[in-house]
Amino acid sequence: MPRWVQTVVFGAVIVILIFFALGLRARGEIQPSTGPAPDFQITSFEGQTIKLSELRGKVVVINFWASWCPPCRDEAPFLERTWRQYKDRGVVFLGVDYVDTETAAKAYLKEFNVTYFNGPDIGSEISRKYRIKGVPETYFVGKDGNLAGNVLGPIANNSSFMTERQFIQKLEELLAK
Amino acid sequence: MRSKIENRESKILFALLIALVIAGWLFAAPVYAQGPNIDDEVNRIAKGLYCPVCPNTPLDVCNTQACIDWRADIKKMIQEGKSEAQIRDSFVARFGPQVLGAPPAEGFNWLAYVMIPAVILLGAVIVWYTMKAWLVKRTPGTVPGDAPEIPPEYAERIEKELKEL
C-alpha cells in the first residue's frame, strides 16, 4: 500500500477517535455547580435587557422553567413569594424560559402573578451554557459571581431536590458571605 | 401515397394527444375547493421539526403540551402567511438547531456530511490497494494452474528418464 494511503488512513482513524472522545466527553458533562457562573445576556418579555456579569455584588437566583412543565408550576408561587421577600436585600431572580411559546409563557407568568425578571432563552443558548437537562433547574450565583450550587428539580416542601426551607437557608448563607 | 402519409400523421397526433392527457392526469397538482387543509399543512411542516425536549420525536407525532403549543404556533404563522422556510428559521432562532432533523450544512456541521462518504471512499481505496497487492503476489509459476509449458525436448527427456527408472 502506498505511503500516502497509509498516512491518510492513519489520519482518518485519529480524527474519528477524536470525535468519538469529544462525543463521550459531551455526554458525560454535568451541570456546573461551582466556579465562575457562565455569563449571559437576557431580554425580558417586556424588552428590558440584563447581563449576569453586571449583577456582581448581588446574590442571583437563575431559574430555568417552561409553561409546559408541571413541576415548574409547583415552585412558581414560592419563587414569587420569596422574590418579594428578598428583593430589597440584594437578591435578584432571573427566570429563563426554556423552549416555550411566548403566548403560553406570558399566560403562565400572569397565572402565577410573577413579577421578577423573566425572558425567553433565545436559541437555547443560556440552557446550553448551563448544560441543563430539563426544567425546572435553579442555579445560585454568589456576590463574587461564582456559582454556589444548583437544584436539578423543583423546589417544594415535599421535594427531594430542595425544600422551601433549604432554599431560604441557602439565600441567607449567600447573603451573609 | 399522400393519403397514407396523412393517415400516419393523424395517428401520431392522436397518440400525442392521448399521451398529453395521461401526463396531465398523472402530474396535475391536487385541486382543493378551499385550498389545502391547514392542519395537514401544520403536520407536514411539523414532521420536519423535532421536539427539543423529547429526544428523537418529530413534532407531528409528539403529544406533550410543549409540542401542542408549538404546533399551534406553526398554525398561527401559516395563517400570518409565513413560508415553510420562515417557520423553520423562526423555530431554529428561538429553540436552537436541535429542532431540525439534521444539522444545517454549515461551519463545523459539514463534517457530519463529509465524514461518511470520506470513510466509504477511504475504505474503497484500501480494498483496491489490498486486492492489487494480492494480484501482484500471484506471479506466474507460483500457482499450479499458471505453470509455464515445458518445452517438448525437455518433456521427452523427462519421460525417457522416468521410464529408465
Side-chain angles (χ1 to χ4, degrees), chain A residues 67-68 100-101 104, chain B residues 42-43 46 51-54 58-76 91:
Chain A
S67 67
W68 42 263
D100 213 342
T101 55
Chain B
V42 169
N43 283 333
C51 166
V53 288
C54 18
L59 210 55
D60 64 325
V61 293
C62 165
N63 286 318
T64 61
Q65 187 55 48
C67 293
I68 294 165
D69 288 347
W70 291 326
R71 282 199 295 271
D73 223 27
I74 294 174
K75 192 173 186 173
K76 194 179 157 202
F91 268 73

Side-chain angles (χ1 to χ4, degrees), chain A residues 1-18, chain B residues 122 126:
Chain A
M1 201 180 291
R3 192 154 184 83
W4 72 267
V5 175
Q6 288 178 20
T7 312
V8 170
V9 170
F10 185 72
V13 169
I14 295 291
V15 169
I16 290 167
L17 283 176
I18 289 170
Chain B
L122 206 63
I126 292 168

Side-chain angles (χ1 to χ4, degrees), chain A residues 25-112:
Chain A
R25 196 181 148 195
R27 286 187 80 171
E29 279 179 342
I30 53 163
Q31 297 94 327
S33 60
T34 55
D39 196 18
F40 62 85
Q41 189 168 293
I42 183 169
T43 303
S44 72
F45 290 109
E46 290 77 30
Q48 188 198 346
T49 300
I50 278 187
K51 197 173 184 191
L52 179 67
S53 54
E54 287 169 0
L55 298 172
R56 196 68 57 90
K58 292 182 175 178
V59 171
V60 183
V61 175
I62 306 165
N63 176 249
F64 290 90
W65 64 277
S67 67
W68 42 263
C69 149
C72 299
R73 296 179 161 267
D74 295 340
E75 64 177 19
F78 167 72
L79 289 175
E80 174 61 22
R81 210 166 53 239
T82 312
W83 149 247
R84 289 186 189 192
Q85 196 183 330
Y86 279 87
K87 66 179 177 180
D88 297 326
R89 292 182 58 192
V91 178
V92 175
F93 275 43
L94 294 180
V96 181
D97 183 23
Y98 175 66
V99 288
D100 213 342
T101 55
E102 194 173 332
T103 316
K106 281 182 173 173
Y108 174 95
L109 295 174
K110 197 177 171 189
E111 183 185 340
F112 293 101

Side-chain angles (χ1 to χ4, degrees), chain B:
Chain B
M1 180 74 181
R2 190 187 162 92
S3 76
K4 213 174 183 180
I5 291 168
E6 277 176 356
N7 192 22
R8 198 176 155 196
E9 278 177 351
S10 64
K11 272 183 182 169
I12 291 169
L13 273 172
F14 182 72
L16 276 173
L17 196 71
I18 295 287
L20 270 172
V21 170
I22 292 170
W25 178 68
L26 282 175
F27 299 109
V31 178
Y32 300 98
Q34 296 172 329
N37 185 330
I38 193 162
D39 289 328
D40 290 343
E41 189 66 3
V42 169
N43 283 333
R44 194 181 63 75
I45 296 170
K47 201 172 187 172
L49 295 168
Y50 279 72
C51 166
V53 288
C54 18
N56 303 323
T57 310
L59 210 55
D60 64 325
V61 293
C62 165
N63 286 318
T64 61
Q65 187 55 48
C67 293
I68 294 165
D69 288 347
W70 291 326
R71 282 199 295 271
D73 223 27
I74 294 174
K75 192 173 186 173
K76 194 179 157 202
M77 283 192 261
I78 292 171
Q79 284 165 338
E80 285 167 357
K82 287 188 177 158
S83 68
E84 184 179 347
Q86 284 173 315
I87 295 171
R88 285 167 71 94
D89 290 349
S90 157
F91 268 73
V92 172
R94 285 185 293 160
F95 308 129
Q98 70 267 30
V99 296
L100 296 174
E106 56 190 33
F108 195 66
N109 293 341
W110 269 110
L111 271 176
Y113 293 92
V114 171
M115 207 67 167
I116 294 170
V119 167
I120 291 171
L121 196 71
L122 206 63
V125 169
I126 292 168
V127 168
W128 189 75
Y129 272 106
T130 311
M131 296 285 280
K132 202 175 155 192
W134 285 351
L135 289 170
V136 167
K137 275 181 188 170
R138 289 181 64 188
T139 48
T142 53
V143 179
D146 290 344
E149 278 187 20
I150 302 167
E153 62 269 23
Y154 285 114
E156 267 177 39
R157 194 176 161 187
I158 290 167
E159 286 293 324
K160 194 180 165 189
E161 283 179 6
L162 280 170
K163 276 176 190 172
E164 283 173 6
L165 281 171

